[in-house]
Structure formats: structure tokens, C-alpha cells
Amino acid sequence: MGVPYVLFVATNAAFIGPHNRPTGFFFPEIAHPFETLDRAGIAVEFASLKGGKPPEDGFDGDDESQTDFLDNKAYRRLSRSRKLSEVDVVDYDAVFFPGGLGPMVDITRNPEVQSTVIRAWDAGLIVSAVCHGPSAFLGVTLDDGTPLVRGRKLTGFSTAEEDGYADQDVPFDLEAALREEGALYEATEPWHPKLVVDGRLITGQNPQSGTLVGEALVEALKQIP
């Protein structure tokens, strides 16, 4: 095979909730997986619903991985993200939804996103997300009407983590919503790394899990004939 390609789909939402809390994608949740994929020679392209520069949150200038990404040409490409409507996910080998609170605003239950997820899944691609990114899977159904996540093991930002962090800002509780659709949700202690791999579904719990998701993507992409 040639060079594997992963499509990162970022949020365009800059604010969330009744208090207009500033948000966007959470910086390490793109920087850390990107670093891992880039070192493995895997190409990354960026899309968002509206295209252009996605808003960002959570940048830590003391994290070398984040500062390296900020100086990388990939960050410039992210700043010119393609419109999701102009992208066909089957041109890639995997799709990844980073978190931050932003996806809870515009990614969740968005018809374009749902179409992208199910098209990727039906085409045999790897489908992945971290933190609030798994909100992209909500409302996605298989041909028989079954929720995509039903009976599948996954993780995402936990109720315990949301409490006291953004429970007054988010429109719903992600863990509860995933469980309601039948997901076999797993979590570890708040703010500790957690990775769940269930076949072609790869998820990480929180910002601390981005590198683990990147590593799992590398391993999964190696298996593509």
C-alpha cells in the first residue's frame, strides 16, 4: 500500500452553552495524535464543517508536542481546513474526531458528520475519536436502523470528568448519551489515559489519551493490506 491517510475532522464552534464559554478543538487532542502519526510516516489532512481555521482551546506552551505542532506546516494546513462537504471520506484510510467542547455544538448529530461516519464504517475504514469527539457517533445508524455504537466497546469523556468541568456548559452528558444508544462504555479514573479498541473503532477517554489513540491508529493502519 502507499502512504496511509487519516482525515481529522475538527469543530468550528467557538462558544458553547448559556454562558458563551469559549471553546474549539482541544489543542493536545490534535497535536498529540498528529505527532504520533507523523513520526510513523502517516499523512494527515484536516476538514471541518465550515472549512477554514477551526477555533482552538487548551494550548499549553510548556508541552513540546503542542509547540512543535504550532510550528509545523500541518498547523497551517489545519488553519485552511477543507469543508467536510467537499471531502469524500473513502479517499482516506481512517477518520478521527478530536475533542474539546466544540464538537458538542456542531459535530453532534450533524447530518454531514453522520453521513461521513457511516460512509467510513461501511467502507471498512478505521473510525476513531477522543474525549468529546465520540459525540460524532451519536445518532449514527447502520442499514438495519441499529445504532452504530450499540454493543461496541468504547470510551469518551466521562460523567465524572464533566462534573465540575463543563457540566454547566454542555447540552448533554456524553457518557450517558453513549450508554443510551447501547455502547459498552468504559472509563478509568478522571484525567488518566484510557484507550479502547473494538475492531475498527478506536476511542480515547480524555486529553491524556490522544497519544494512545495515535499509537492505536498506527498499529491498525499497519494491518491494512
Side-chain angles (χ1 to χ4, degrees), residues 16 25 50 97 109 136 142 181 209:
I16 187 171
F25 74 86
K50 296 179 181 178
F97 294 90
R109 302 190 187 279
L142 305 175
E181 292 199 4
S209 308

Side-chain angles (χ1 to χ4, degrees), residues 2 9 12-13 15 19 32 46 69 80 90 99 107 115 127-128 134 148 159 169 216:
V9 182
N12 292 116
F15 299 94
H19 310 293
H32 291 171
F46 301 97
F69 180 68
R80 299 173 178 83
V90 299
I107 296 289
S115 177
V127 175
S128 57
L148 172 65
T159 301
D169 302 293

Side-chain angles (χ1 to χ4, degrees), residues 9-13 16 23-26 29 49 97-110 113 130-136 171-172:
V9 182
T11 179
N12 292 116
I16 187 171
T23 187
F25 74 86
F26 208 64
E29 294 173 20
L49 283 168
F97 294 90
L101 297 177
M104 302 283 275
V105 177
D106 63 346
I107 296 289
T108 305
R109 302 190 187 279
N110 178 279
V113 171
V130 70
C131 199
H132 289 89
S135 65
F172 62 91

Side-chain angles (χ1 to χ4, degrees), residues 2-223:
V3 175
Y5 273 79
V6 180
L7 179 67
F8 281 35
V9 182
T11 179
N12 292 116
F15 299 94
I16 187 171
H19 310 293
N20 286 320
R21 176 173 175 161
T23 187
F25 74 86
F26 208 64
F27 207 91
E29 294 173 20
I30 285 184
H32 291 171
F34 171 82
E35 179 182 56
T36 304
L37 293 166
D38 190 52
R39 285 178 176 172
I42 294 167
V44 172
E45 291 190 2
F46 301 97
S48 60
L49 283 168
K50 296 179 181 178
K53 189 178 191 304
E56 58 197 50
D57 189 20
F59 176 76
D60 181 359
D62 293 328
D63 179 351
E64 186 175 351
S65 298
Q66 294 185 49
T67 56
D68 285 351
F69 180 68
L70 192 64
D71 292 335
N72 195 292
K73 289 182 178 179
Y75 180 75
R76 293 176 59 189
R77 295 199 303 274
L78 170 61
S79 299
R80 299 173 178 83
S81 70
R82 299 173 64 188
K83 286 185 179 180
L84 187 60
S85 61
E86 298 173 356
V87 173
D88 189 345
V89 72
V90 299
D91 293 338
Y92 302 84
D93 302 289
V95 62
F96 170 66
F97 294 90
L101 297 177
M104 302 283 275
V105 177
D106 63 346
I107 296 289
T108 305
R109 302 190 187 279
N110 178 279
E112 279 184 43
V113 171
Q114 292 176 334
S115 177
T116 296
V117 172
I118 199 62
R119 184 162 168 76
W121 188 260
D122 288 346
L125 275 62
I126 299 159
V127 175
S128 57
V130 70
C131 199
H132 289 89
S135 65
F137 307 150
L138 294 171
V140 176
T141 56
L142 305 175
D143 287 343
D144 62 1
T146 303
L148 172 65
V149 300
R150 181 177 295 172
R152 302 190 194 281
K153 293 186 290 184
L154 54 70
T155 188
F157 206 61
S158 68
T159 301
E161 288 167 319
E162 202 75 88
D163 287 347
Y165 173 68
D167 55 309
Q168 301 301 309
D169 302 293
V170 293
F172 62 91
D173 180 73
L174 179 58
E175 176 183 335
L178 291 167
R179 291 184 184 277
E180 285 170 9
E181 292 199 4
L184 304 178
Y185 178 88
E186 302 177 11
T188 188
E189 298 175 60
W191 311 108
H192 284 66
K194 171 75 173 177
L195 172 76
V196 176
V197 178
D198 188 347
R200 292 184 288 114
L201 186 63
I202 298 173
T203 50
Q205 180 175 327
N206 47 33
Q208 290 74 22
S209 308
T211 297
L212 294 179
V213 171
E215 291 170 349
L217 279 167
V218 170
E219 289 304 309
L221 289 165
K222 285 181 180 177
Q223 308 306 316

